[in-house]
Amino acid sequence: MKQAKVLTETEFKRVMAVIAQMKHAPRNRLAVMLSHLTGLRVGEIAALTLHDVFDADGNVREQLRLSAAITKGGHARTVFINEKLRREIERYKTGWSNTHSPGDPLLLTQKQTAFSANTLCQLMGQIYRQAGIDGATSHSGRRWFITRLAHSGVSPKVIMTLAGHRNLTTTQRYIDVRDEMMKAAVELL
């Protein structure tokens, strides 16, 4: 089975430019950013509620606690939110009315219902196609997240834990290797 493409910086910028022209740009941008900056699967993103992301005072949490019920492996895990994602969530929140309750989904379809994993998967595929990126899927953000961490020197055990994998070999399959990465590695010698 062919793996999802890991976007280059140029491709990622193109995706963001395409999203900026879309009808539901803030929502779509947040969905893609959640995928790339947390490594969440689309089903996990679709299942996020406002309570998962915001504390009782309406502030963005420092970490998301995913219950076993929404993760692929059925194991609860903690996902950390970096400053870039925190700003993105705050930006998304500014477009809201005050009619939201903590149990509401973070991301809503245009019919104001929760996304299913399949619907969010289709939306991400549509975004990547509109950006002209062949081979990118809803899993591209997750692979980008794991690859970036690996190439930044983060411990494999930490990456495995952040990804919610139980086995290091699973995590290793996600890491993309390109010629320019191998050339840069050899240049370190």
Side-chain angles (χ1 to χ4, degrees):
M1 182 168 137
K2 188 173 179 181
Q3 288 193 317
K5 177 180 178 47
V6 176
L7 277 60
T8 64
E9 288 298 319
T10 302
E11 290 169 331
F12 185 77
K13 287 177 183 175
R14 190 170 9 153
V15 166
M16 291 295 118
V18 164
I19 289 172
Q21 303 303 312
M22 298 179 95
K23 184 175 181 182
H24 301 284
R27 176 203 67 197
N28 296 348
R29 183 177 165 96
L30 181 57
V32 170
M33 296 293 272
L34 280 163
S35 176
H36 279 79
L37 297 178
T38 64
L40 291 173
R41 297 172 180 92
V42 285
E44 294 165 344
I45 295 169
L48 289 174
T49 65
L50 297 179
H51 175 72
D52 294 328
V53 179
F54 299 101
D55 64 20
D57 296 325
N59 299 313
V60 177
R61 295 182 187 278
E62 291 183 14
Q63 50 189 259
L64 308 175
R65 298 197 189 282
L66 302 181
S67 69
I70 70 166
T71 64
K72 181 180 178 184
H75 302 283
R77 78 175 193 274
T78 300
V79 175
F80 293 87
I81 297 176
N82 68 15
E83 190 56 37
K84 186 175 185 178
L85 183 56
R86 178 181 314 288
R87 287 190 308 269
E88 193 65 40
I89 294 168
E90 288 292 345
R91 188 167 106 175
Y92 174 68
K93 183 182 173 187
T94 60
W96 290 356
S97 64
N98 290 333
T99 61
H100 297 286
S101 64
D104 288 346
L106 175 66
L107 302 176
L108 295 171
T109 67
Q110 60 188 24
K111 293 180 181 179
Q112 298 301 297
T113 60
F115 273 93
S116 68
N118 186 46
T119 306
L120 190 54
C121 181
Q122 290 175 27
L123 174 63
M124 286 189 179
Q126 174 190 1
I127 291 167
Y128 292 133
R129 279 190 302 281
Q130 286 182 10
I133 302 172
D134 190 39
T137 72
S138 62
H139 227 54
S140 291
R142 185 166 168 77
R143 288 201 65 221
W144 184 91
F145 173 79
I146 292 169
T147 297
R148 290 292 295 256
L149 292 175
H151 291 287
S152 296
V154 175
S155 159
K157 179 74 173 172
V158 171
I159 298 169
M160 181 183 85
T161 304
L162 288 172
H165 292 149
R166 305 299 266 183
N167 192 315
L168 187 56
T169 58
T170 303
T171 305
Q172 289 172 325
R173 287 195 305 261
Y174 278 73
I175 300 170
D176 187 46
V177 177
R178 298 187 184 131
D179 287 349
E180 65 269 11
M181 294 171 184
M182 293 186 287
K183 184 179 184 318
V186 171
E187 292 299 327
L188 293 173
L189 302 175

